[in-house]
Amino acid sequence: AQSVAQPEDQVNVAEGNPLTVKCTYSVSGNPYLFWYVQYPNRGLQFLLKYITGDNLVKGSYGFEAEFNKSQTSFHLKKPSALVSDSALYFCAVRGLYGNNRLAFGKGNQVVVIP
Amino acid sequence: DAGVTQSPTHLIKTRGQQVTLRCSPKSGHDTVSWYQQALGQGPQFIFQYYEEEERQRGNFPDRFSGHQFPNYSSELNVNALLLGDSALYLCASSAGQGNEQYFGPGTRLTVT
């Protein structure tokens, strides 16, 4: 079965500092990995995905993520955090072809301090 | 281009009742997935519909059922509601079963 672990409940970062949100995954075969962001009382917004190819994936709003197969990680990063980046971030994994369900982590609350 | 839309936004039901939630996918999308997000948790996969058939199902009881219409819109039905069914129900659509899913704003269901 596929699963995702997001080890930190909350990440606090000062505005302008680099932001990292951690994610590790477990899946049979090659993973399809995703990051979503959720603002209060809103649905999930797609940020970026890794399917294959370059290990550094660039996404929306200046976010990027690095796929590391040996460490089974897919950490989300942003070089300079904004107050508006404060939200709930979810990592998700999809496994083998034909298994299209997304397995989500429990989420990380990011708080960017002005 | 409208994104994924869901109705209603909020719903309050009593234990034992039945509820129907609705979802219209993003234009051009033919696959609809439903997720349940309990408070403080990540979304949990309920099931996925493609070509009007349930293609995959998560670990949810038969009280949860669905339907997909020829125009690709979908309904989620929950029978015999329990207090534990209180959650945000998210609909996601994709162009094909394997592509990234785009989520709607969700329906907040409260069971009292």
Side-chain angles (χ1 to χ4, degrees):
Chain A
Q2 61 226 37
S3 64
V4 162
Q6 295 182 246
E8 301 163 314
D9 289 334
Q10 182 164 311
V11 175
N12 296 326
V13 62
E15 186 177 24
N17 281 3
L19 168 64
T20 299
V21 188
K22 296 180 180 177
C23 170
T24 57
Y25 66 89
S26 174
V27 69
S28 298
N30 294 323
Y32 290 6
L33 294 156
F34 303 83
W35 276 100
Y36 286 86
V37 61
Q38 187 176 37
Y39 294 96
N41 301 314
R42 302 279 293 277
L44 276 68
Q45 295 180 29
F46 170 77
L47 280 179
L48 51 80
K49 66 179 179 181
Y50 171 82
I51 303 295
T52 186
D54 194 349
N55 289 343
L56 185 64
V57 178
K58 294 190 182 297
S60 306
Y61 314 117
F63 284 93
E64 58 189 28
E66 186 168 11
F67 171 67
N68 188 317
K69 188 172 183 177
S70 64
Q71 297 185 5
T72 62
S73 67
F74 189 56
H75 301 331
L76 181 70
K77 300 179 181 181
K78 187 171 184 180
S80 178
L82 302 173
V83 172
S84 58
D85 293 328
S86 298
L88 193 55
Y89 291 79
F90 290 97
C91 181
V93 66
R94 181 169 74 82
L96 298 170
Y97 177 78
N99 178 359
N100 298 303
R101 65 186 70 185
L102 288 176
F104 284 86
K106 63 178 174 58
N108 282 118
Q109 184 66 50
V110 169
V111 178
V112 181
I113 303 163
Chain B
D1 175 26
V4 180
T5 60
Q6 292 185 245
S7 63
T9 304
H10 296 90
L11 204 52
I12 300 175
K13 290 288 189 178
T14 304
R15 277 178 297 177
Q17 286 188 316
Q18 178 266 345
V19 68
T20 297
L21 311 182
R22 295 176 175 82
C23 171
S24 291
K26 183 177 170 64
S27 178
H29 287 186
D30 57 6
T31 302
V32 173
S33 301
W34 287 93
Y35 293 81
Q36 180 196 66
Q37 185 179 15
L39 197 61
Q41 301 296 318
Q44 298 292 314
F45 176 80
I46 302 175
F47 42 52
Q48 185 179 80
Y49 277 83
Y50 173 69
E51 293 186 335
E52 301 181 48
E53 290 189 16
E54 182 183 296
R55 299 293 177 169
Q56 292 193 49
R57 189 178 183 92
N59 189 26
F60 280 81
D62 292 343
R63 298 186 297 108
F64 289 76
S65 63
H67 188 77
Q68 186 179 34
F69 299 94
N71 67 352
Y72 308 121
S73 66
S74 177
E75 289 182 348
L76 164 66
N77 301 293
V78 187
N79 294 323
L81 285 167
L82 304 174
L83 294 179
D85 295 331
S86 295
L88 180 67
Y89 288 85
L90 295 165
C91 169
S93 73
S94 60
Q97 294 177 273
N99 293 314
E100 62 262 30
Q101 298 176 22
Y102 289 82
F103 284 79
T107 293
R108 173 73 62 187
L109 173 65
T110 302
V111 182
T112 62

